[in-house]
Amino acid sequence: MSRFLFCALLGACALARADTPGKAPTMADVIAASKPSDWHALDPQNTLYLELASGRVVMEMAPAFAPRHVANIKTLAHEKYFDGLAILRSQDNYVVQWGDPDSDDAAKKRSVGSAQEKLKAEFTIPASKELPFTLLPDRDGYAPQTGFSADFPAARDPKARTTWLTHCYGSIGVGRDVDVDSGGGTELYVVIGASPRWLDRNITVVGRVVQGMELLSTLPRGTGALGFYEKPEQHVPIESIRLAADVPEKERTSLEVLRTDTPTFAALVESRRNRHDEWYKVPAGYIDVCSVPIPVRAIGAK
Amino acid sequence: MSRFLFCALLGACALARADTPGKAPTMADVIAASKPSDWHALDPQNTLYLELASGRVVMEMAPAFAPRHVANIKTLAHEKYFDGLAILRSQDNYVVQWGDPDSDDAAKKRSVGSAQEKLKAEFTIPASKELPFTLLPDRDGYAPQTGFSADFPAARDPKARTTWLTHCYGSIGVGRDVDVDSGGGTELYVVIGASPRWLDRNITVVGRVVQGMELLSTLPRGTGALGFYEKPEQHVPIESIRLAADVPEKERTSLEVLRTDTPTFAALVESRRNRHDEWYKVPAGYIDVCSVPIPVRAIGAK
């Protein structure tokens, strides 16, 4: 087997040659050299657990970008709205989506309890000094500027003074109808394919999956239009969605995420713009915002 | 359910409003208006069938870009080299890869028969008038120019006068070691995640999957480093890989691919640069080479 290909692709080989004098660091070198302060622990008040029969999907919410929707989704989770609903759609190279299978039937539809059914859209927010933005050095096609904010991939329009979360692999968004204010968080989708950046600024993004993506990305694809499952028995049951803070501490998944506003992260970006292990012959000299990994690890891992 | 979201995302709603005077066409409109000459039928001499227990994956080869590797892979398929080998790796948001599980064991390793084990790399080819290139209007980050050639997503460097296939969802490449000339086609990988464009010009791309991607993208992820399956019983057996021309005609999958060098395709690109159905509020004004669908349909479909 071409093992060099395999390890070189991830930069994992690089561990073997970390600290070689004069060599530019790989991503593995950068992570190995990171300090505890380079990471942020997931906040239990902003972390949701999607529990499936196959395991737990950990989702980090982005209240700075979608305060109304995140608060509403937390209320829905707290009141157990999602428990027993299902993943209804799995479209190859696009999204999985969950919600209430009976949402079109007024008689059977589940009540949203004290949450809201619909909210005013949060497609973009005003750019502000209170929300730092770490610029990527490279030009993007879909937005005037891209980078990272609150440790999420993001974009910015300096003229319009707006900023927003970009649609990358693992991004979580809020389904809506044609009316921009018709979503509320009862239906959520997760990107499982190539970055659908054309959705940016057209839909509210509320966070990203930080662990368990493979439980969503490997679901059988629906054979109906747009990847809908055609038969109710194909629906993938949601055991529950819980706010981490509502879960006993010992049952939580303790993770930390690499901060994106540090010299360490800048070094990681550079290690991906130009790969320095011996496998690569032509460094790209470029990286797009969705191709920069934002590493996640168990707290205490080294 | 937010059905408008669902159909609007794909442009499928647009069928309802096709031919509305004064409205820019959606992708569905463009395809509906296409002529038979806008499509090319798959050439059985350049089509491979990967047969799994779950079904058939149809792969279109790109001999214009990798003549030596495609010829070698065809020889391997013709001599049944791949039959009984296995998918060994499935790495989330990256690639699946297959080959000989015993390739590191000289005693058990399978013979390549009259094929070659290693070939000179075909990372790029000289740009030439004989191989037309349809430029995308938008600027790309990873390459001086991007577009389509031989109905594959491609890139070009006018200064170096080279052109190459880009790594997009469904792209098929040739595993290699650190030595650029160490691949031959016995190990192939398929992209199942966000476009890993940094691999461009570093590895030989031989074609793309045109049907059956979901059979690869939904495979359980390997839990070993880089997505390798850790136990032999997790390997996904390959029943066979056959050249379509070696398969009886009535057992072939008859598909046609939209040509990329036509006014129809230019209209399709524009329909994706700026979505015109009522769901979209902010048209992107941009499309990257890997986000332009190259439609495939059964011959005779309308």
Side-chain angles (χ1 to χ4, degrees):
Chain A
M1 286 178 281
S2 301
R3 297 207 183 273
F4 277 102
L5 164 63
F6 302 149
C7 58
L9 288 175
L10 253 202
C13 297
L15 285 169
R17 48 161 289 282
D19 306 322
T20 308
K23 290 256 185 180
T26 65
M27 184 167 80
D29 298 336
V30 171
I31 293 174
S34 67
K35 301 182 295 282
S37 59
D38 288 325
W39 300 78
H40 84 253
L42 288 187
D43 175 358
Q45 289 291 349
N46 275 317
T47 304
L48 292 173
Y49 299 147
L50 162 62
E51 306 284 359
L52 303 172
S54 55
R56 174 179 283 180
V57 178
V58 181
M59 306 185 285
E60 184 177 23
M61 297 287 102
F65 283 87
R68 287 187 295 276
H69 284 78
V70 170
N72 203 50
I73 293 165
K74 285 169 63 174
T75 300
L76 290 167
H78 185 67
E79 298 181 1
K80 308 188 177 179
Y81 170 80
F82 295 102
D83 301 14
L85 299 184
I87 296 172
L88 306 172
R89 174 192 188 192
S90 167
Q91 183 174 350
D92 199 54
N93 192 22
Y94 204 36
V95 296
V96 295
Q97 184 152 346
W98 60 83
D100 181 354
D102 296 318
S103 66
D104 290 336
D105 183 335
K108 293 168 73 184
K109 187 176 167 176
R110 186 170 294 200
S111 159
V112 297
S114 62
Q116 302 295 310
E117 189 140 356
K118 295 179 184 184
L119 291 171
K120 205 165 146 39
E122 294 174 302
F123 299 167
T124 66
I125 59 167
S128 75
K129 282 184 189 164
E130 289 67 46
L131 192 65
F133 191 96
T134 304
L135 268 177
L136 264 182
D138 296 311
R139 181 171 151 162
D140 182 72
Y142 290 95
Q145 296 180 339
T146 52
F148 301 89
S149 190
D151 305 338
F152 289 94
R156 199 164 64 161
D157 183 344
K159 267 194 206 161
R161 298 192 185 181
T162 54
T163 182
W164 59 91
L165 295 182
T166 51
H167 276 83
C168 300
Y169 191 84
S171 293
I172 307 165
V174 173
R176 68 162 170 90
D177 289 331
V178 166
D179 176 3
V180 294
D181 299 330
S182 59
T186 54
E187 290 176 42
L188 296 170
Y189 63 87
V190 175
V191 174
I192 59 161
S195 323
R197 293 284 310 282
W198 54 88
L199 294 176
D200 292 359
R201 287 183 279 186
N202 280 292
I203 199 158
T204 300
V205 178
V206 292
R208 73 173 185 120
V209 172
V210 291
Q211 189 175 87
M213 264 307 291
E214 70 282 4
L215 304 181
L216 301 175
S217 60
T218 60
L219 288 174
R221 304 313 185 217
T223 50
L226 307 157
F228 272 90
Y229 294 122
E230 295 186 271
K231 299 173 189 167
E233 60 267 31
Q234 295 171 319
H235 291 166
V236 179
I238 291 175
E239 294 184 354
S240 67
I241 297 184
R242 287 280 181 283
L243 188 67
D246 290 341
V247 168
E249 210 171 327
K250 64 180 197 315
E251 292 168 27
R252 294 182 197 161
T253 304
S254 291
L255 297 175
E256 58 186 5
V257 175
L258 195 69
R259 286 175 53 193
T260 59
D261 58 350
T262 63
T264 292
F265 192 77
L268 181 145
V269 168
E270 183 49 35
S271 77
R272 302 301 274 193
R273 295 181 73 239
N274 293 295
R275 309 276 182 130
H276 294 293
D277 60 64
E278 58 182 347
W279 189 87
Y280 282 88
K281 309 304 171 184
V282 182
Y286 181 86
I287 194 83
D288 67 277
V289 66
C290 288
S291 293
V292 178
I294 305 179
V296 178
R297 67 181 183 186
I299 290 180
K302 281 279 164 62
Chain B
M1 287 178 280
S2 302
R3 297 208 182 272
F4 277 103
L5 164 62
F6 303 148
C7 58
L9 288 175
L10 252 202
C13 297
L15 285 168
R17 46 164 290 282
D19 305 322
T20 309
K23 290 255 186 181
T26 65
M27 184 167 82
D29 298 335
V30 171
I31 293 174
S34 68
K35 303 183 295 282
S37 59
D38 287 326
W39 301 78
H40 86 252
L42 288 187
D43 175 357
Q45 290 291 347
N46 275 316
T47 304
L48 293 173
Y49 299 146
L50 163 61
E51 305 284 1
L52 304 172
S54 55
R56 174 179 285 180
V57 178
V58 182
M59 305 184 284
E60 184 176 23
M61 297 287 103
F65 283 86
R68 288 187 294 277
H69 284 78
V70 170
N72 202 50
I73 293 165
K74 285 168 62 173
T75 300
L76 290 167
H78 185 67
E79 298 181 1
K80 308 188 178 178
Y81 169 79
F82 296 101
D83 301 14
L85 299 184
I87 297 172
L88 307 172
R89 174 193 189 193
S90 168
Q91 183 175 350
D92 199 54
N93 192 21
Y94 204 37
V95 297
V96 295
Q97 185 153 345
W98 60 82
D100 182 354
D102 297 317
S103 65
D104 290 335
D105 183 335
K108 293 167 75 183
K109 187 177 167 176
R110 188 170 292 200
S111 158
V112 297
S114 61
Q116 301 296 310
E117 189 140 355
K118 295 179 184 184
L119 290 170
K120 206 165 145 38
E122 293 173 302
F123 298 166
T124 67
I125 59 167
S128 76
K129 281 184 188 163
E130 289 67 46
L131 191 65
F133 191 96
T134 302
L135 267 178
L136 263 183
D138 296 312
R139 182 172 150 162
D140 182 71
Y142 291 95
Q145 297 181 340
T146 53
F148 301 89
S149 190
D151 305 338
F152 289 93
R156 199 164 63 162
D157 182 346
K159 268 194 206 160
R161 299 191 184 183
T162 54
T163 183
W164 59 91
L165 296 182
T166 51
H167 275 82
C168 300
Y169 191 84
S171 293
I172 306 165
V174 173
R176 68 162 170 89
D177 289 331
V178 167
D179 175 3
V180 294
D181 299 331
S182 59
T186 53
E187 290 175 45
L188 297 168
Y189 63 88
V190 175
V191 174
I192 59 161
S195 324
R197 295 282 310 281
W198 55 88
L199 294 175
D200 292 359
R201 287 183 278 186
N202 281 291
I203 198 157
T204 300
V205 177
V206 293
R208 72 174 185 121
V209 172
V210 292
Q211 190 176 86
M213 263 307 290
E214 69 283 3
L215 304 181
L216 301 175
S217 60
T218 62
L219 288 175
R221 304 311 185 218
T223 49
L226 306 157
F228 271 90
Y229 295 121
E230 295 185 90
K231 299 173 189 167
E233 61 266 31
Q234 294 171 319
H235 290 166
V236 179
I238 291 174
E239 294 184 354
S240 66
I241 297 183
R242 287 279 181 282
L243 189 67
D246 290 340
V247 168
E249 209 169 330
K250 65 179 196 314
E251 293 169 26
R252 295 181 197 162
T253 304
S254 291
L255 297 175
E256 58 187 4
V257 174
L258 195 69
R259 286 175 53 193
T260 59
D261 57 350
T262 63
T264 293
F265 192 76
L268 181 145
V269 168
E270 183 49 34
S271 77
R272 302 301 274 193
R273 295 182 72 239
N274 293 296
R275 308 277 181 128
H276 295 293
D277 59 63
E278 57 182 348
W279 188 87
Y280 282 89
K281 309 304 170 185
V282 181
Y286 180 86
I287 194 83
D288 67 277
V289 66
C290 287
S291 293
V292 178
I294 305 179
V296 177
R297 67 181 184 187
I299 290 179
K302 279 279 163 64

